[in-house]
Each structure stands twice: as structure tokens, then as C-alpha cells.
Amino acid sequence: MSKILIVEDNELNRDMLSRRLSRSGYDVVLAVEGQEGIAMAESEGPDLILMDLSLPVIDGWEATRQIKARTSTASIPVIALSAHALADDEDRARKVGCDDYDTKPIEMPRLLGKIEALLRRRPSL
Amino acid sequence: MQTPEELTRTRSADEPRAPRPARETPAGGAPHEHPHPLVALDYRVRVPAMLIVALIGIAHLVDKPQGAVPWIAIVFTGLVWPQLAYLIASRARDSKRAELANLLFDSLLVGCWTAATGFSVLPSLMMTSAIITACLSVGGVRFTAWAIGSIMAGMLAVGALTGFHVVHEASLLTTCLSVVGMLAFTSIFGFHSHIQTRRVVKARRELTDQHRQIQDQYTIIERALQSALDSNDAVRQANQAKSVFLANMSHELRTPLNAILGYSEMLMEDADAKGDTEVVSDLKKIQSAGKHLLGLINGVLDFSKVEAGKMKLFLETFEVSKVIEEAVNTARPLIENNGNRLEVRCPADIGPMREDMTKVRQVLLNLLSNAAKFTQGGVVTLDVWRENRVDGNWVYLKVSDNGIGMTPEQVGRLFQPFSQADAATSRKYGGTGLGLALTQKFCTMMGGDIEVESAQGKGSAFTIRLPGEIENFDGEASSVRVSTLTGMKLTDIAGPIPLPEGQPKVVLVIDDDPAVLDLMQRICSKAGYRVIATRSGDEGLRLAREKSPDLITLDVVMPGMDGWDVLAALKKDETVCRTPVVVVTIADERDRGLALGASDYFVKPVDHEKLMAALSRIRRDRVA
């Protein structure tokens, strides 16, 4: 079972997303803000990270940059999630190392497709 | 020699033999309502001067009586001629010319009297010097040459009659009169030149004052311009702030919407699994309301992107029929929901076009769903056709319906954002009031336009026109594929463009967008110009000085030195300030551009033919 780390500060969205991913058969771990996300990426060793971009204190871009900078976590694929549908957000996200990008509100089939594609690319250890 | 009467008659027609006065005369035509000031001035001098000439004649006759003819001449000279001269000149069409002719007749009289008084030294000197001075001051050197000729003619004519009789010693009376005449004339002349000098001084002082006033006004205008520019910046900042606000708003709205849509979808899956159809149908309503809300938010976001100039065009070549099919398939359920019938008339060989496919589909879908919304049990028709016109090849998409239609007032407000036909309409039919405003913006961005015809109760017809031609270009043009909001595409190059005559003129193109540079280069070369292009303002300024181009086109929004700075610098530099500058930009600040000295101003997307026409017009004006 693949493990997915969700980094999301909004409680409703975190809850909703985690339940829907669990239903789809993923093992889900949760982080509320950027610093916690970086720590859990290291401690939990997830197969994939869903990273909200607008987080308090350390935002999603910075958190991703740090995750991609550490050798232990650099290979974990990151999908950025943003409610900002502006092109700038996606460009910035890809620059800091995000592997994919999706906008909220989440369309489950589309997001699942992106998750599957990234997991397939990465041979499970 | 002509008589003054003859001169008066012939002067305003072609007058090959009349003397040409040194100074320009007022254009002929209707008689002068106010005779030239010279006429009155000469009259005041002529009356005493001719009187003295007559008196000298009398003094001479008293010594040697010679019959009636000289007396008639004396009366004519002293009393009649000055009045007659005034009358002729003030009634003439061209009073100045007439007065000059009078002066020539004066000269003739002086010549006659010089001979008649036996060429006595003092009277002769007095009369000829007076008339020559007068002629010099009024008519200049060439005119004076004519006057001298006239004097000689008078001398010869009377001299021949009197056998060139010479008087060596003039009488005392004659001498006195001559001296008095000389003094009088020189005094009058001196006084007159004093007045002239005072006038010149006064005029010069007034001129200085006016110059100062103009300078003061110029300073005021400059200050006003500066404050206008400042407030313009403020407006731009406010607009920027609005866009940022809208983007943030959109974010804040999407986050809760995400939860609403997500949870309702989860519940729907659960209910579906349990077979609870009633709950499923209610949850579907939440879903569809949520998706509608998302659509509205996306509309607002799109609109703010267009307003902020951040909307991008992704150009690709696609089959027109494919987009039609997609849009029709999406819109068909909407149309049929209201009991409407959809008719599509599109030729099978409509062919490809190069545009932003998503936006073409979006605008078409918008028009179709509008037609569906405002029509009940009617017909919605989609007509597609291609047309070759003088200004290029165009693809037309026309959506017409026989629904509720609009009044002319409603049509007038149609494309303004957030303004539906009226508040009641939006309650009844829904929508943000952004759809058509966006549609219009997209059409303009894509180099086309949209037109509407409507009659209340009868229906509406919207016609979109988009450039349909496909220019073959090499791989290098891939930079154009993701062109920013320039609105100028390679398709714009096609079409007949007149070649400027003569040797190729040089155009300097300053624009930071490589796609625009490439395009301008193509358009200008096609129109026969030689093009120098640069992406930076500094470089542009340097090239303008070094290469002295015939024309400059200038973008405003550039990193570093922006277009306004470049324009100001160009206009300050004496070596290049006369080179016409055409501003081509997305910023709609025409007044500012023209105030800063631009010859013309174009807002992107630019109609390339209009641009080329402007360039060649400006070039022609400059040559002329």
C-alpha cells in the first residue's frame, strides 16, 4: 500500500482529502504546516507528498525546496496543490522542484491520475 | 511709361510691365475695406510737398510768364494731384500697389518740374532728393530705380518741350522755397522714422512679454502633465491592487468550495453504494450548485487576468470543424433543455485555423449557452463560414436565436463587465455578467472582434470574426506559440501592403517581446522598410542616435528603461528629436503618448495595415 503525506493547513480539506484517499486505498499521513511536513517527509518516508502551497510560516514552495534539498527526501515526488489558479503559482512550484501541480477544488479522478502516474514512475522500494 | 490710371487698372490683373515693389503686397481679391496705412501717410506728406513744388513753379513763372498751360500744371500739381492720388489709392483693390504707382507718378511730376524750372540747383536738389528718399523708404532699391527712371522721363518730356532751357541762378523766392521745402521734408521724414523706431521698440518689448508668458504657460502645462502622469501611475497601481485582490478573493472562495464539493462527492458515493436515490439526487444538486459557483469564480479570475494583461494566448493550428463539434456537443443538452432546436450550418471544407483553441471553444460555448438561456422552444442556429476580404481571410462564427432579444439600450451595455440586461434578468437567468465581456476581450486578443444584432422579442445574433489565414513559417517562430498578450500574430502579415517609393526607409523597432519583434520585422520588411530591432530601451536610444532611422516604433511596458522614459529621452535629444515615434503598446494611454511627442499611438492588438498606413503617412508628412 503506497503511503501519501498530505501537508494542508485547512482542517476540512485535510480531513476530506485524507478520507477520500484512504477510500481509494492509500495509506495517508497528515501534516498541518510546512515545518511539520518537512519533518514527516523524513520520519514517515512517504511514497508521495501532496503539498498545499499557501501554508502559514513556511509555505509550500519553501517546504518543497527543503524537502528536495535533503538527500533522504529528495526523491519523493511532490504534487503541489493550490487554490490560486494563476500561472505564476505553477511556474514557481515547478521551479522549487514540484513534480506536478493541481488546482483546488480537487477533481478526484484527475488528482488520482496524477498520483498514479508519479507512483508508477518511482519503483517501490 | 504708363499713366497712373493705367497702372491702377492693370495692377490687379497680370501686370508684366508694372514695377514690382520690393515687398510682398497683400493678396488681391476684394477691395480693401481699410486702405494700406501707407496711403494715409503719403497723403499727409504729399499735400505739403506738392504745394511747395507748385509754389516753386509759381515763383519761376512770376519771373518768366509763359501762358496758361504751366498754370494749369501748377494747379494740378499743388491742389488736384494729392487728392486724386489719395482717392485712387484708397479705392484700389490693392491699395499698397496703387500707392506705389502714385509714387512713380510723383517722380514723373518731379522730373517735369525739374526741367520746367530750368534745372536750378536748389529746387532740383530739393525735389529729387525728397522723392528719392520717399521712394527708398517706401518701396526699396528696385522700386527707386523705377522712380529714377520716371524722373528722367519727366525731365526728358518737359525738357524736350522747353528746349532744355537752363536757369543758372534761381530767384530769391525760389531759393527760399527750396530751403523751406528741404527743411520741411527732412523734418517730416525724421519725425516719421522716430515714430517707426518707437514702434519697433514697443513691438519688441511686447514680444518679450509674450515670450515670457508663453514660457510661464509652458511651465504650467509641464507641471499639469507631470501631475497627470503621477495620477496615471496611481490609477495603474490601483488597478494592479484590484487584480491582486481578485486573485486572493478567488483563492479564499476556492478553499471552502473545495470542501463542499469534496464532501458532497464522498456522501454521494456512500449514498450510491447504499442505493439511497433521494439523497443522491439532493447531493447532485449541491454538486451542480458548487460547480456553478466555481464557474463564476473562474470567470472573475479570467477577467482580472485579462485586465492585468496576464492572459496568455496558446496558438496552435487546428481544424475549425473540430472545435465546432466539441462546443456543440457540450452546448446541445443546454439548448435542448429549454425545448430548443439546434441547427449547425458549417461547410465540410471549412479547413484549419491558427488560434488559441481553448479560447475559441470558450467564446463559442458562451454564445451558444447564452442563446440557450434566453430562448424557449425556439431555434438556435450556428453558422460558420470563411471569407476573403481586402484585410485578410476571416473565419466567421455566427450564433443566432429567436429568443427574447434585447432593446438597443441593453445592447449598448452588453459588453460591459458585471452588467446584464437588467437585475431582474440576472435573477431569472443567472450568470455573472462576465461572459460576454470576456468573450469580447478574448476575441480582441485573438485579433478578431464580435458584433451583435438584436431586436426585442425577436431574438439576437452574435457574430465573431477571427483571423483565418495560416502563414507558413519555420521552426524559429516557436517563440510565438506562447505569445503574451500582444494580440499580433503571424497571420497578421498577410494581405496587400503598398510599398513605399524610393530607397528603403529604416524603421527602428523597440519592444521587449521577441515575438513582437519578429512579427514587426516581417510586417515592416514586407512593406519595404529596412528594420533595426532591439529589446531594450537603452539600446534603442543608442541605435536611434547612431543609425538615425526614419521612423521608430516603441513599446511602453518594458523592463528597465520603459517606453515613456525612452520617448522623453528621444524628444530631449536634438539629434533625434525630429524622428517620428509611433508608440505600439498594450497600455491604453494615447493622450500621454501624444503629449510626450509621439507621432501616433497604437494599442495592441494592432491592425497591421493601419500601422503601416500610419508609418507611410508620417514618412510622407516628414518629406513634405
Side-chain angles (χ1 to χ4, degrees):
Chain A
M1 198 191 285
S2 301
K3 190 193 266 184
I4 295 178
L5 169 62
I6 300 175
V7 189
E8 163 72 86
D9 64 322
N10 183 289
E11 197 190 334
L12 284 177
N13 282 333
R14 196 170 58 233
D15 174 60
M16 185 267 293
L17 196 53
S18 66
R19 280 166 61 186
R20 300 192 76 183
L21 286 174
S22 305
R23 282 186 186 191
S24 304
Y26 293 101
D27 187 8
V28 181
V29 284
L30 302 171
V32 179
E33 41 85 33
Q35 192 59 57
E36 193 185 356
I38 298 165
M40 285 182 73
E42 182 121 52
S43 60
E44 297 283 336
D47 299 295
L48 186 136
I49 300 171
L50 291 177
M51 178 71 75
D52 182 33
L53 288 177
S54 37
L55 296 169
V57 195
I58 293 185
D59 66 23
W61 291 285
E62 177 57 22
T64 307
R65 203 187 57 74
Q66 290 194 22
I67 288 168
K68 290 290 178 183
R70 293 183 190 196
T71 45
S72 55
T73 54
S75 62
I76 307 171
V78 177
I79 298 179
L81 297 178
S82 171
H84 283 291
L86 292 173
D88 285 15
D89 279 14
E90 180 169 356
D91 290 348
R92 280 176 64 204
R94 294 205 185 264
K95 262 185 205 136
V96 296
C98 290
D99 301 85
D100 210 337
Y101 177 91
D102 208 350
T103 54
K104 294 192 230 177
I106 284 158
E107 267 183 44
M108 221 44 202
R110 190 178 63 201
L111 180 63
L112 287 175
K114 288 182 175 177
I115 290 172
E116 292 290 326
L118 283 174
L119 288 177
R120 260 202 308 279
R121 232 198 289 164
R122 186 175 183 245
S124 53
L125 302 167
Chain B
M1 196 66 226
Q2 287 173 299
T3 67
E5 282 76 14
E6 276 169 340
L7 278 171
T8 318
R9 248 187 292 118
T10 54
R11 73 179 62 95
S12 58
D14 53 331
E15 25 79 80
R17 286 153 66 206
R20 181 182 295 188
R23 271 169 281 172
E24 276 299 310
T25 55
H32 276 274
E33 285 178 18
H34 303 289
H36 197 278
L38 194 60
V39 176
L41 179 74
D42 277 3
Y43 176 70
R44 286 200 293 272
V45 179
R46 187 176 284 123
V47 169
M50 284 303 167
L51 204 61
I52 288 171
V53 171
L55 287 174
I56 290 173
I58 292 170
H60 186 75
L61 275 187
V62 170
D63 285 351
K64 306 171 183 62
Q66 284 169 358
V69 177
W71 289 103
I72 293 169
I74 284 168
V75 171
F76 176 77
T77 307
L79 300 176
V80 180
W81 166 241
Q83 312 300 330
L84 185 66
Y86 181 73
L87 215 70
I88 291 169
S90 55
R91 291 208 175 166
R93 272 170 172 254
D94 183 344
S95 57
K96 188 183 172 185
R97 218 163 235 231
E99 188 48 41
L100 289 173
N102 286 342
L103 270 171
L104 285 184
F105 191 72
D106 287 337
S107 310
L108 189 74
L109 279 179
V110 163
C112 293
W113 281 110
T114 308
T117 53
F119 302 100
S120 306
V121 178
L122 264 177
S124 305
L125 198 64
M126 175 258 160
M127 288 188 292
T128 48
S129 67
I131 192 70
I132 286 174
T133 315
C135 287
L136 265 175
S137 82
V138 170
V141 176
R142 271 179 69 181
F143 177 74
T144 307
W146 281 90
I148 290 171
S150 202
I151 294 170
M152 303 291 256
M155 284 180 179
L156 283 175
V158 175
L161 283 175
T162 58
F164 292 100
H165 159 75
V166 175
V167 174
H168 288 292
E169 275 185 35
S171 68
L172 185 66
L173 185 60
T174 316
T175 309
C176 286
L177 280 170
S178 302
V179 171
V180 168
M182 235 173 208
L183 285 176
F185 187 80
T186 43
S187 303
I188 291 170
F189 192 77
F191 179 68
H192 178 63
S193 78
H194 167 68
I195 289 175
Q196 295 282 45
T197 312
R198 268 178 47 181
R199 269 192 206 149
V200 168
V201 170
K202 195 177 161 212
R204 188 175 286 177
R205 198 179 301 138
E206 277 171 7
L207 207 63
T208 316
D209 284 351
Q210 278 175 3
H211 183 68
R212 196 176 305 129
Q213 276 174 14
I214 289 170
Q215 267 185 337
D216 289 350
Q217 282 167 357
Y218 184 72
T219 315
I220 293 169
I221 290 170
E222 261 197 339
R223 270 192 215 129
L225 181 65
Q226 191 53 50
S227 77
L229 295 187
D230 290 348
S231 64
N232 217 330
D233 280 348
V235 168
R236 212 178 336 176
Q237 276 169 14
N239 211 17
Q240 198 81 27
K242 187 191 78 181
S243 297
V244 172
F245 171 77
L246 280 173
N248 288 336
M249 247 330 246
S250 143
H251 172 257
E252 296 307 320
L253 293 172
R254 274 160 187 272
T255 305
L257 198 54
N258 189 29
I260 294 173
L261 287 173
Y263 280 112
S264 65
E265 228 171 277
M266 275 168 70
L267 288 173
M268 213 154 72
E269 286 162 15
D270 291 347
D272 224 11
K274 285 184 204 150
D276 195 340
T277 48
E278 204 171 314
V279 176
V280 168
S281 104
D282 284 350
L283 286 168
K284 262 191 187 154
K285 283 171 198 155
I286 295 179
Q287 277 273 305
S288 110
K291 280 188 178 153
H292 181 66
L293 184 55
L294 183 61
L296 302 188
I297 294 168
N298 286 341
V300 171
L301 191 66
D302 273 354
F303 200 79
S304 72
K305 271 199 250 181
V306 172
E307 291 268 278
K310 281 187 179 159
M311 185 60 81
K312 289 178 177 177
L313 280 183
F314 297 88
L315 297 183
E316 53 188 318
T317 305
F318 55 88
E319 286 298 320
V320 179
S321 54
K322 187 183 152 206
V323 176
I324 306 286
E325 200 183 308
E326 285 173 1
V328 164
N329 283 342
T330 317
R332 196 182 288 277
L334 288 172
I335 292 168
E336 288 171 356
N337 267 352
N338 262 356
N340 296 315
R341 192 157 43 86
L342 174 64
E343 278 180 17
V344 182
R345 289 195 285 258
C346 173
D349 59 346
I350 186 78
M353 71 190 290
R354 187 171 173 77
E355 269 300 350
D356 185 320
M357 185 167 80
T358 317
K359 291 197 173 58
V360 174
R361 189 168 45 213
Q362 197 173 334
V363 295
L364 185 55
L365 199 55
N366 184 271
L367 294 187
L368 286 171
S369 62
N370 268 354
K373 239 190 269 179
F374 297 107
T375 313
Q376 283 276 341
V379 184
V380 175
T381 316
L382 169 61
D383 286 292
V384 186
W385 73 96
R386 200 184 269 274
E387 228 173 79
N388 260 318
R389 294 165 52 113
V390 202
D391 52 351
N393 181 284
W394 298 89
V395 171
Y396 288 82
L397 306 167
K398 180 177 179 180
V399 176
S400 34
D401 62 59
N402 53 3
I404 59 172
M406 287 172 288
T407 62
E409 295 78 51
Q410 289 171 332
V411 172
R413 284 199 305 269
L414 200 58
F415 294 110
Q416 289 167 19
F418 301 110
S419 70
Q420 278 187 328
D422 57 51
T425 312
S426 72
R427 271 199 302 281
K428 186 171 173 192
Y429 297 99
T432 44
L434 275 175
L436 278 174
L438 259 180
T439 299
Q440 190 192 33
K441 295 239 178 221
F442 282 175
C443 289
T444 316
M445 267 180 79
M446 292 189 283
D449 52 33
I450 178 166
E451 269 178 22
V452 59
E453 294 164 71
S454 187
Q456 196 169 26
K458 294 198 172 149
S460 310
F462 291 84
T463 310
I464 291 176
R465 184 173 78 141
L466 294 170
E469 220 143 8
I470 300 197
E471 184 83 1
N472 292 321
F473 52 88
D474 41 42
E476 173 196 14
S478 60
S479 60
V480 187
R481 277 174 183 275
V482 185
S483 149
T484 48
L485 175 51
T486 59
M488 302 208 296
K489 300 175 300 303
L490 287 167
T491 51
D492 288 344
I493 302 171
I497 299 161
L499 276 157
E501 320 80 33
Q503 68 182 77
K505 299 290 168 184
V506 180
V507 182
L508 170 62
V509 180
I510 308 174
D511 199 310
D512 66 313
D513 188 336
V516 175
L517 279 189
D518 180 58
L519 180 67
M520 287 291 285
Q521 213 144 12
R522 284 156 189 259
I523 295 175
C524 290
S525 329
K526 204 153 187 171
Y529 292 95
R530 210 157 63 73
V531 183
I532 314 172
T534 175
R535 293 180 58 185
S536 95
D538 299 313
E539 176 82 359
L541 214 50
R542 190 180 63 75
L543 285 170
R545 287 178 187 132
E546 276 178 15
K547 312 270 180 186
S548 35
D550 298 280
L551 287 164
I552 299 173
T553 79
L554 178 63
D555 182 26
V556 170
V557 188
M558 292 189 290
M561 193 175 190
D562 79 7
W564 300 131
D565 297 338
V566 176
L567 185 54
L570 284 171
K571 291 296 160 190
K572 263 185 210 151
D573 190 326
E574 274 188 16
T575 53
V576 291
C577 66
R578 292 175 63 81
T579 310
V581 179
V582 177
V583 177
V584 181
T585 177
I586 54 163
D588 192 357
E589 297 176 67
R590 186 181 176 83
D591 292 344
R592 182 177 181 187
L594 298 184
L596 282 173
S599 303
D600 209 335
Y601 194 99
F602 282 87
V603 181
K604 294 173 188 173
V606 172
D607 181 327
H608 75 281
E609 274 182 40
K610 281 188 189 150
L611 179 62
M612 286 305 117
L615 291 192
S616 75
R617 189 190 66 240
I618 290 165
R619 201 173 50 72
R620 264 202 318 276
D621 289 352
R622 207 178 160 226
V623 172

